[in-house]
Amino acid sequence: MNVLIVGSGGREHALGWKISQSRAMGRLFFAPGNPGTSLLGTNLPVSSDDFEAIGSSVLFHDVGMVVVGPEVPLVGGIHDFFLADDRLRDVRVIGPLKSGAMLEGSKDFAKSFMTRHGIPTARYASFTRETVDQGYGFLDTLKPPYVLKADGLAAGKGVIIVNDLAEARLTLAEMLGGKFGMAGDTVLIEEFLRGVELSAFILTDGSDYLILPEAKDYKRVGENDTGLNTGGMGAISPVPFADAAFMKKVEERIIRPTIRGLALEGIPYTGFIFFGLINCQGDPFLIEYNVRMGDPETEAVLPRIESDLLDLLDAAATGRMKEKKIKTSGNVAATVMLVSGGYPGDYEKGKVITGNEMTGRGLLFHAGTREEDGILKTAGGRVMAVTALAETLPEALEKCYSEAGEIHFEGKYFRRDIGFDL
Ligand code: AMP
Ligand code: GLY
C-alpha cells in the first residue's frame, strides 16, 4: 500500500521511519515532509492544510492511506474532506473527523466531555466577554496558582499559569480581549493540579484500542524544568512511575470512559488519542486530549514498538482493532531535541548543520531543517530529535548525548538533563 504522511516535523519523520519498515509498505510520500523524510520517501510540495492538493496527490500516486501528523488539518476537517469526495472516500485516513478532533480543537468541549463521562480532571468553568465578571468571581473561589486557557487551538501557547490573583484577573481580561484571536473568545479557568505529568497514547478504531508505550515530555526550555514552555525538549519512554497499577487506573478511569463516551455521543474515531495526564499522588487526572501523537514523544515511543505499525493503522482504519495486539520492546528510549539558540523566543534560521551523518548508535529525526543547494540548514526552533534505545535509561541517555554532541550548527542548544528526575 502507498502511504502519504501529512506534516513536516520530527513526529512525521519518525512515523515515516516506522511505517517504512512494514512488510505491506509500497511507496511513501510526505506532504510536505523535510530533508530527513526525503531519505525515506518522496516529499511533495504540498502544504499540510491544502486539502485539495493532498487529495489530488493521493489520486495521482494511488495512495491507500493518509496518516495525519499534526492537529491543524484534523481540526480543519481533512478526514471529512476525504469522505465527502467519491474518489477519496475509500482512502484510509488516520485521524478523526472534525467532530472527534473537537477533543483537541476546543478545550471547552473537551472539558465538558470529560465531565459528562466522569473522567477525573481539574475543576473548571468557562467564560466569554459577556460573563467576565463571573470569571472574576470564579477566580476568587480558587487558590493560586491560577490556570487560564484559550478554548481554541493556539499552537501550544494558549495556557497561562499565574501566581497572583490581580495578574490572573488581568490575564483573563486580556485573553477575552483578543490576545489569542478567536481561540480566546472563550476562556477556561481551572484549578491547578500538582503532580508529575506524563503522556499516554492509544490507537483506536472508535470501539477497541491498543495502548502504546507511554512517555514523559520535557516541556520547559531550561534545565531542572525552568524557563519558558516549548513544544518539547526531549522525551523518555517508558515512564518508571507509570507502572502496571497506575496504567490500570489510567485505562479504567480515563481511556475506557473516553472510548465509551465517543460511542455514546455518536462520534466516530479513527486514529491516535494522546492523553495529557498528571499523576496526583498515585491517581491519574486528565489535563487535555490531543487527537494526534505528541512531538517529541513519537520519536521515543515508536522505536519501542516492535509490531508492524502499518498493519495496526490499517486495522484502526477498517474497524479491526480488536484482532490486534501490540508488541513493545523492554528497552528504554531517550530523545533529546536540538534547538536553535533563543528558542522558544526569537532565533535565527539558515545555520549550516554538520555531523548529521548517522554514526549508527542512535536515530536522527529531522524537525526544522531545510536543504539549500545540497547543504542542510536550520529552518525552525526545534531542529532535530536524537533518539537512542538501550537496556537502561543511563545507557540510552549516554548514547543519545554522545550522538547529540556530534551534530553541529551555530547556536545549537539542548537540555543536558533529560530524564534527570526519573
Ligand atoms: P497544554 O498547552 O494544554 O498542553 O498545557 C500546557 C501545560 O500547562 C501542561 O502541560 C501542564 O503543564 C500545564 N497545565 C495545564 N492545565 C493544568 C492544570 N489544571 N494544573 C496544572 N498544570 C496545568
Ligand atoms: N509534546 C507535546 C505535544 O505534542 O503536544
Side-chain angles (χ1 to χ4, degrees):
M1 176 158 52
N2 294 343
V3 176
L4 185 150
I5 297 177
V6 175
S8 63
R11 168 182 48 212
E12 288 73 27
H13 189 175
L15 282 165
W17 167 81
K18 181 65 187 161
I19 289 172
S20 60
Q21 295 163 16
S22 167
R23 269 176 293 146
M25 188 62 212
R27 296 187 64 200
L28 183 58
F29 299 90
F30 295 87
N34 62 39
T37 66
S38 72
L39 306 172
L40 297 169
T42 306
N43 286 349
L44 303 171
V46 169
S47 123
S48 61
D49 50 16
D50 188 346
F51 301 167
E52 292 281 350
I54 292 172
S56 308
S57 306
V58 162
L59 294 172
F60 186 78
H61 295 292
D62 193 24
V63 167
M65 180 188 291
V66 175
V67 182
V68 186
E71 65 278 13
V72 172
L74 292 167
V75 173
I78 189 170
H79 197 156
D80 309 66
F81 176 88
F82 271 68
L83 284 189
D85 187 324
D86 284 340
R87 298 163 310 162
L88 295 170
R89 182 165 303 150
D90 294 331
V91 175
R92 292 144 167 60
V93 178
I94 303 301
L97 292 162
K98 232 175 173 168
S99 55
M102 286 279 282
L103 286 179
E104 178 166 1
S106 166
K107 292 192 194 296
D108 193 35
F109 174 83
K111 291 289 281 195
S112 62
F113 180 92
M114 294 174 209
T115 308
R116 280 197 293 283
H117 301 293
I119 295 168
T121 188
R123 189 162 72 87
Y124 84 109
S126 7
F127 304 95
T128 60
R129 231 160 281 173
E130 288 68 44
T131 58
V132 64
D133 287 328
Q134 290 161 41
Y136 296 143
F138 187 66
L139 282 171
D140 289 334
T141 72
L142 297 175
K143 286 200 235 22
Y146 305 92
V147 182
L148 294 100
K149 302 186 175 183
D151 173 50
L153 289 186
K157 297 190 174 65
V159 177
I160 298 184
I161 301 178
V162 295
N163 278 311
D164 178 72
L165 182 60
E167 203 183 336
R169 292 170 66 103
L170 186 67
T171 305
L172 177 63
E174 279 176 0
M175 289 174 89
L176 289 171
K179 187 172 179 180
F180 293 102
M182 268 169 45
D185 281 353
T186 298
V187 172
L188 285 73
I189 301 176
E190 274 184 33
E191 160 196 41
F192 183 86
L193 295 177
R194 220 167 281 281
V196 189
E197 287 177 55
L198 81 155
S199 310
F201 305 95
I202 62 166
L203 175 64
T204 182
D205 58 12
S207 306
D208 296 284
Y209 57 86
L210 290 174
I211 302 179
L212 312 186
E214 75 287 349
K216 185 169 190 295
D217 177 17
Y218 292 78
K219 284 205 169 87
R220 302 295 199 90
V221 70
E223 279 156 23
N224 295 311
D225 289 337
T226 54
L228 293 173
N229 255 325
T230 69
M233 296 295 290
I236 299 289
S237 176
V239 180
F241 69 78
D243 56 13
F246 182 80
M247 290 308 287
K248 186 161 176 267
K249 291 182 192 169
V250 171
E251 181 167 14
E252 283 174 0
R253 299 178 192 175
I254 294 171
I255 297 175
R256 263 196 228 136
T258 298
I259 296 297
R260 208 183 305 127
L262 288 169
L264 275 172
E265 298 192 17
I267 300 173
Y269 202 105
T270 305
F272 298 102
I273 303 180
F274 165 163
F275 301 86
L277 303 172
I278 192 157
N279 176 356
C280 299
Q281 290 165 339
D283 288 317
F285 284 73
L286 183 59
I287 293 185
E288 60 168 358
Y289 290 111
N290 295 130
V291 297
R292 50 166 176 91
M293 286 298 287
D295 196 350
E297 289 97 325
T298 306
E299 292 93 306
V301 166
L302 295 189
R304 291 194 57 231
I305 298 179
E306 290 177 349
S307 312
D308 182 326
L309 183 61
L310 184 53
D311 180 53
L312 298 183
L313 294 174
D314 194 52
T318 52
R320 295 180 297 111
M321 208 77 259
K322 201 184 196 128
E323 301 167 12
K324 297 294 172 183
K325 286 208 164 55
I326 185 164
K327 192 159 179 281
T328 55
S329 97
N331 281 340
V332 177
T335 298
V336 172
M337 207 32 109
L338 309 182
V339 308
S340 301
Y343 171 80
D346 292 337
Y347 55 85
E348 290 178 22
K349 297 182 189 172
K351 306 295 182 194
V352 175
I353 303 169
T354 57
N356 55 295
E357 312 75 23
M358 292 305 298
T359 55
R361 281 161 48 92
L363 295 162
L364 184 61
F365 299 115
H366 289 226
T369 67
R370 93 188 134 84
E371 217 166 80
E372 214 177 69
D373 303 326
I375 296 173
L376 191 66
K377 297 185 176 171
T378 66
R382 295 197 294 174
V383 176
M384 285 181 171
V386 181
T387 297
L389 276 173
E391 273 178 34
T392 65
L393 179 58
E395 287 171 273
L397 286 167
E398 195 276 314
K399 269 176 146 178
C400 192
Y401 278 115
S402 99
E403 201 76 46
E406 299 288 316
I407 299 163
H408 300 284
F409 55 88
E410 195 189 312
K412 177 183 87 170
Y413 169 76
F414 57 96
R415 272 182 64 167
R416 287 163 201 278
D417 69 338
I418 298 303
F420 74 102
D421 54 333
L422 300 178

